[in-house]
Amino acid sequence: MIAARSNLKKAATGLRNLSSFKDTDVVVVSFARTPIGKMGGALASKTAPQLGSIAITEAINRAGINKDLIEEVILGNVVSAGVGQAPARQAVLGAGMKLDTVCTTINKVCASGMKSLMFSALHISGGYRQAMLAGGMESMSNIPYYLMQFTIAPSDAVPRAAKHAGVSMSDIEYHEINEAFSVVALANAKLMNLDLNRVNVHGGAVALGHPIGCSGARIVGSLYSVLKAKDATIGAASICNGGGGASAIVIERLN
């Protein structure tokens, strides 16, 4: 996904009430992902950076901006063994971006893709960057299998994110809670007293898959899709990560 300062006119074209935004407000102007295939399926021949390159190319196309405007890229990738050094840079170069594009790969386990968006928003709102690309990538068919446990930390992270966003829990119309396991969404929905009809409306990771370096970014994109389909405004995405932590983000849909 591509995030930009609201005064970057080429990236923000068409936003409602653009004049009401501060120069340092951050908007997400596009989102793209590859399909999530089954283990050993049609995408198994692609490395994580190759999958990242495909998503980057389409995100830029959907944004309708010159890719040279993107000053920095932050991508999550969790199991980098065998991928080669600098996975984010591999993905960026594979997408035909400039050789001098600043690239960073981050690893916050399942929350990596979401954390990349958070870091990008901080860089932009702080005035350090004008436009950035954030996301995550993982080829689950090409990594060792291992079991991760983590389950109820989102129930603590979401209220904190709501407080930072200046909204109440009741203001949040829809939730995306990543399903590392089936019980994760159910347990956290119960702890936060959420309406299950407003959680993972279009299906979660049990149905779609959980490419761990990508999932944090994927659920933010899925959340926007739900808000758009339901003509809703405020949503929260949350994801637990290995070691007992979690990340959560509150977004507002703009017409």
Side-chain angles (χ1 to χ4, degrees), residues 129-163:
R129 297 295 190 197
Q130 291 280 327
M132 294 184 62
L133 190 146
M137 54 194 179
E138 206 80 50
S139 174
M140 298 300 286
S141 296
N142 292 302
I143 67 171
Y145 172 80
Y146 62 99
L147 181 65
M148 295 171 292
Q149 297 182 339
F150 30 83
T151 54
I152 59 171
S155 65
D156 184 47
V158 173
R160 295 189 187 198
K163 182 178 180 180

Short mmCIF file of all heavy atoms in Angstrom, two decimals, residues 129-163:
data_model
loop_
_atom_site.label_atom_id
_atom_site.label_comp_id
_atom_site.label_asym_id
_atom_site.label_seq_id
_atom_site.Cartn_x
_atom_site.Cartn_y
_atom_site.Cartn_z
N ARG A 129 9.28 12.37 5.13
CA ARG A 129 9.00 11.86 3.80
C ARG A 129 7.69 12.42 3.28
O ARG A 129 6.82 12.82 4.04
CB ARG A 129 8.91 10.32 3.82
CG ARG A 129 10.18 9.60 4.22
CD ARG A 129 11.30 9.81 3.22
NE ARG A 129 12.44 8.94 3.50
CZ ARG A 129 13.65 9.15 2.99
NH1 ARG A 129 13.88 10.19 2.19
NH2 ARG A 129 14.65 8.32 3.27
N GLN A 130 7.55 12.42 1.94
CA GLN A 130 6.32 12.84 1.29
C GLN A 130 5.45 11.64 0.91
O GLN A 130 4.24 11.69 1.07
CB GLN A 130 6.64 13.64 0.02
CG GLN A 130 7.27 15.00 0.27
CD GLN A 130 6.25 16.04 0.64
OE1 GLN A 130 5.11 16.00 0.19
NE2 GLN A 130 6.64 16.98 1.48
N ALA A 131 6.06 10.60 0.40
CA ALA A 131 5.31 9.41 -0.04
C ALA A 131 6.15 8.17 0.21
O ALA A 131 7.35 8.15 -0.06
CB ALA A 131 4.95 9.51 -1.52
N MET A 132 5.49 7.13 0.73
CA MET A 132 6.18 5.89 1.04
C MET A 132 5.33 4.70 0.64
O MET A 132 4.11 4.82 0.46
CB MET A 132 6.50 5.81 2.54
CG MET A 132 7.51 6.84 3.01
SD MET A 132 7.97 6.66 4.76
CE MET A 132 8.71 5.03 4.77
N LEU A 133 5.97 3.57 0.49
CA LEU A 133 5.28 2.32 0.20
C LEU A 133 5.53 1.37 1.36
O LEU A 133 6.67 1.19 1.79
CB LEU A 133 5.77 1.72 -1.11
CG LEU A 133 4.98 0.53 -1.66
CD1 LEU A 133 4.97 0.55 -3.18
CD2 LEU A 133 5.56 -0.80 -1.15
N ALA A 134 4.45 0.77 1.86
CA ALA A 134 4.54 -0.13 3.01
C ALA A 134 3.79 -1.42 2.72
O ALA A 134 2.86 -1.44 1.93
CB ALA A 134 3.96 0.55 4.26
N GLY A 135 4.19 -2.48 3.39
CA GLY A 135 3.48 -3.75 3.20
C GLY A 135 4.28 -4.91 3.78
O GLY A 135 5.12 -4.73 4.66
N GLY A 136 4.01 -6.09 3.28
CA GLY A 136 4.71 -7.27 3.75
C GLY A 136 4.64 -8.38 2.73
O GLY A 136 3.82 -8.33 1.81
N MET A 137 5.50 -9.38 2.89
CA MET A 137 5.57 -10.45 1.89
C MET A 137 6.08 -11.71 2.56
O MET A 137 6.92 -11.66 3.46
CB MET A 137 6.49 -10.04 0.74
CG MET A 137 7.87 -9.62 1.19
SD MET A 137 8.82 -8.77 -0.07
CE MET A 137 10.32 -8.42 0.84
N GLU A 138 5.56 -12.85 2.13
CA GLU A 138 6.01 -14.13 2.66
C GLU A 138 5.60 -15.22 1.67
O GLU A 138 4.49 -15.19 1.13
CB GLU A 138 5.36 -14.41 4.01
CG GLU A 138 6.16 -15.33 4.91
CD GLU A 138 7.30 -14.60 5.61
OE1 GLU A 138 7.08 -13.53 6.21
OE2 GLU A 138 8.44 -15.12 5.54
N SER A 139 6.48 -16.16 1.44
CA SER A 139 6.13 -17.36 0.68
C SER A 139 6.11 -18.53 1.66
O SER A 139 7.13 -19.12 1.97
CB SER A 139 7.15 -17.63 -0.43
OG SER A 139 6.85 -18.87 -1.06
N MET A 140 4.92 -18.85 2.14
CA MET A 140 4.80 -19.88 3.17
C MET A 140 5.18 -21.26 2.65
O MET A 140 5.54 -22.15 3.42
CB MET A 140 3.37 -19.90 3.72
CG MET A 140 2.95 -18.59 4.40
SD MET A 140 3.99 -18.15 5.81
CE MET A 140 3.43 -19.33 7.03
N SER A 141 5.11 -21.45 1.33
CA SER A 141 5.51 -22.74 0.76
C SER A 141 7.01 -22.95 0.79
O SER A 141 7.49 -24.07 0.63
CB SER A 141 5.02 -22.84 -0.70
OG SER A 141 3.62 -22.83 -0.77
N ASN A 142 7.76 -21.87 1.00
CA ASN A 142 9.22 -21.95 0.92
C ASN A 142 9.92 -21.71 2.25
O ASN A 142 11.12 -21.41 2.28
CB ASN A 142 9.72 -20.94 -0.12
CG ASN A 142 9.30 -21.33 -1.53
OD1 ASN A 142 9.62 -22.41 -2.00
ND2 ASN A 142 8.58 -20.46 -2.19
N ILE A 143 9.18 -21.83 3.36
CA ILE A 143 9.80 -21.65 4.67
C ILE A 143 9.58 -22.90 5.51
O ILE A 143 8.66 -23.68 5.26
CB ILE A 143 9.23 -20.42 5.40
CG1 ILE A 143 7.76 -20.64 5.78
CG2 ILE A 143 9.40 -19.17 4.56
CD1 ILE A 143 7.21 -19.56 6.68
N PRO A 144 10.43 -23.10 6.53
CA PRO A 144 10.20 -24.24 7.43
C PRO A 144 8.88 -24.06 8.17
O PRO A 144 8.47 -22.94 8.49
CB PRO A 144 11.38 -24.16 8.40
CG PRO A 144 12.39 -23.30 7.73
CD PRO A 144 11.62 -22.35 6.87
N TYR A 145 8.21 -25.15 8.45
CA TYR A 145 6.96 -25.10 9.20
C TYR A 145 7.27 -25.06 10.68
O TYR A 145 8.09 -25.82 11.18
CB TYR A 145 6.10 -26.33 8.91
CG TYR A 145 4.88 -26.43 9.79
CD1 TYR A 145 3.74 -25.68 9.52
CD2 TYR A 145 4.88 -27.23 10.92
CE1 TYR A 145 2.63 -25.73 10.35
CE2 TYR A 145 3.78 -27.30 11.76
CZ TYR A 145 2.65 -26.55 11.46
OH TYR A 145 1.57 -26.61 12.29
N TYR A 146 6.61 -24.16 11.39
CA TYR A 146 6.72 -24.15 12.83
C TYR A 146 5.45 -23.57 13.44
O TYR A 146 4.70 -22.86 12.78
CB TYR A 146 7.95 -23.36 13.30
CG TYR A 146 7.95 -21.90 12.94
CD1 TYR A 146 7.57 -20.94 13.86
CD2 TYR A 146 8.35 -21.47 11.67
CE1 TYR A 146 7.58 -19.60 13.54
CE2 TYR A 146 8.36 -20.12 11.34
CZ TYR A 146 7.97 -19.19 12.29
OH TYR A 146 7.99 -17.86 11.96
N LEU A 147 5.22 -23.90 14.69
CA LEU A 147 3.99 -23.51 15.37
C LEU A 147 4.22 -22.24 16.16
O LEU A 147 5.19 -22.11 16.89
CB LEU A 147 3.54 -24.62 16.32
CG LEU A 147 2.24 -24.39 17.10
CD1 LEU A 147 1.06 -24.31 16.12
CD2 LEU A 147 2.03 -25.51 18.10
N MET A 148 3.31 -21.27 16.02
CA MET A 148 3.40 -20.02 16.78
C MET A 148 2.20 -19.93 17.70
O MET A 148 1.09 -20.29 17.32
CB MET A 148 3.42 -18.84 15.82
CG MET A 148 4.63 -18.77 14.93
SD MET A 148 4.47 -17.53 13.68
CE MET A 148 3.17 -18.21 12.69
N GLN A 149 2.41 -19.40 18.92
CA GLN A 149 1.32 -19.25 19.88
C GLN A 149 1.35 -17.81 20.42
O GLN A 149 2.39 -17.35 20.88
CB GLN A 149 1.49 -20.28 21.01
CG GLN A 149 1.39 -21.74 20.53
CD GLN A 149 1.52 -22.72 21.67
OE1 GLN A 149 2.03 -22.39 22.72
NE2 GLN A 149 1.04 -23.92 21.48
N PHE A 150 0.31 -17.50 20.11
CA PHE A 150 -0.09 -16.18 20.66
C PHE A 150 -1.56 -16.04 20.48
O PHE A 150 -2.13 -16.45 19.52
CB PHE A 150 0.58 -15.03 19.90
CG PHE A 150 0.85 -15.31 18.53
CD1 PHE A 150 -0.15 -15.16 17.59
CD2 PHE A 150 2.07 -15.79 18.10
CE1 PHE A 150 0.10 -15.43 16.27
CE2 PHE A 150 2.32 -16.05 16.78
CZ PHE A 150 1.32 -15.86 15.89
N THR A 151 -2.35 -15.33 21.64
CA THR A 151 -3.76 -15.37 21.16
C THR A 151 -4.59 -14.14 21.53
O THR A 151 -5.40 -13.69 20.74
CB THR A 151 -4.50 -16.61 21.71
OG1 THR A 151 -4.36 -16.61 23.13
CG2 THR A 151 -3.94 -17.89 21.14
N ILE A 152 -4.45 -13.61 22.73
CA ILE A 152 -5.44 -12.62 23.20
C ILE A 152 -4.88 -11.20 23.32
O ILE A 152 -5.58 -10.29 23.78
CB ILE A 152 -6.05 -13.03 24.54
CG1 ILE A 152 -4.98 -13.18 25.63
CG2 ILE A 152 -6.84 -14.32 24.38
CD1 ILE A 152 -5.57 -13.38 27.02
N ALA A 153 -3.65 -10.97 22.91
CA ALA A 153 -3.06 -9.62 23.02
C ALA A 153 -3.83 -8.55 22.24
O ALA A 153 -3.85 -7.39 22.66
CB ALA A 153 -1.60 -9.65 22.58
N PRO A 154 -4.49 -8.86 21.11
CA PRO A 154 -5.26 -7.79 20.42
C PRO A 154 -6.32 -7.13 21.29
O PRO A 154 -6.63 -5.95 21.09
CB PRO A 154 -5.89 -8.55 19.25
CG PRO A 154 -4.90 -9.62 18.93
CD PRO A 154 -4.40 -10.08 20.29
N SER A 155 -6.87 -7.86 22.26
CA SER A 155 -7.91 -7.27 23.10
C SER A 155 -7.36 -6.14 23.97
O SER A 155 -8.12 -5.31 24.48
CB SER A 155 -8.55 -8.34 23.99
OG SER A 155 -7.61 -8.87 24.91
N ASP A 156 -6.05 -6.11 24.14
CA ASP A 156 -5.41 -4.99 24.84
C ASP A 156 -4.96 -3.91 23.85
O ASP A 156 -5.04 -2.72 24.15
CB ASP A 156 -4.20 -5.52 25.62
CG ASP A 156 -3.53 -4.43 26.45
OD1 ASP A 156 -4.23 -3.67 27.14
OD2 ASP A 156 -2.29 -4.34 26.42
N ALA A 157 -4.52 -4.34 22.67
CA ALA A 157 -3.99 -3.38 21.69
C ALA A 157 -5.09 -2.51 21.07
O ALA A 157 -4.87 -1.32 20.82
CB ALA A 157 -3.24 -4.13 20.59
N VAL A 158 -6.25 -3.08 20.78
CA VAL A 158 -7.31 -2.31 20.11
C VAL A 158 -7.79 -1.13 20.95
O VAL A 158 -7.89 -0.01 20.43
CB VAL A 158 -8.49 -3.23 19.71
CG1 VAL A 158 -9.66 -2.39 19.18
CG2 VAL A 158 -8.04 -4.23 18.65
N PRO A 159 -8.13 -1.30 22.24
CA PRO A 159 -8.53 -0.13 23.03
C PRO A 159 -7.46 0.95 23.10
O PRO A 159 -7.76 2.14 23.10
CB PRO A 159 -8.81 -0.72 24.42
CG PRO A 159 -9.17 -2.15 24.16
CD PRO A 159 -8.28 -2.56 23.01
N ARG A 160 -6.20 0.53 23.12
CA ARG A 160 -5.12 1.53 23.13
C ARG A 160 -5.08 2.30 21.81
O ARG A 160 -4.89 3.53 21.80
CB ARG A 160 -3.78 0.83 23.37
CG ARG A 160 -3.64 0.19 24.73
CD ARG A 160 -2.21 -0.28 24.96
NE ARG A 160 -2.07 -1.05 26.19
CZ ARG A 160 -0.92 -1.28 26.80
NH1 ARG A 160 0.20 -0.79 26.28
NH2 ARG A 160 -0.87 -2.00 27.90
N ALA A 161 -5.25 1.58 20.70
CA ALA A 161 -5.26 2.25 19.39
C ALA A 161 -6.44 3.21 19.29
O ALA A 161 -6.32 4.31 18.75
CB ALA A 161 -5.31 1.20 18.28
N ALA A 162 -7.60 2.78 19.80
CA ALA A 162 -8.78 3.65 19.77
C ALA A 162 -8.54 4.93 20.56
O ALA A 162 -8.90 6.03 20.12
CB ALA A 162 -9.99 2.90 20.33
N LYS A 163 -7.90 4.80 21.71
CA LYS A 163 -7.60 5.98 22.53
C LYS A 163 -6.67 6.93 21.79
O LYS A 163 -6.89 8.15 21.78
CB LYS A 163 -6.98 5.54 23.85
CG LYS A 163 -6.68 6.69 24.81
CD LYS A 163 -6.11 6.19 26.12
CE LYS A 163 -5.80 7.35 27.07
NZ LYS A 163 -5.25 6.87 28.37
#
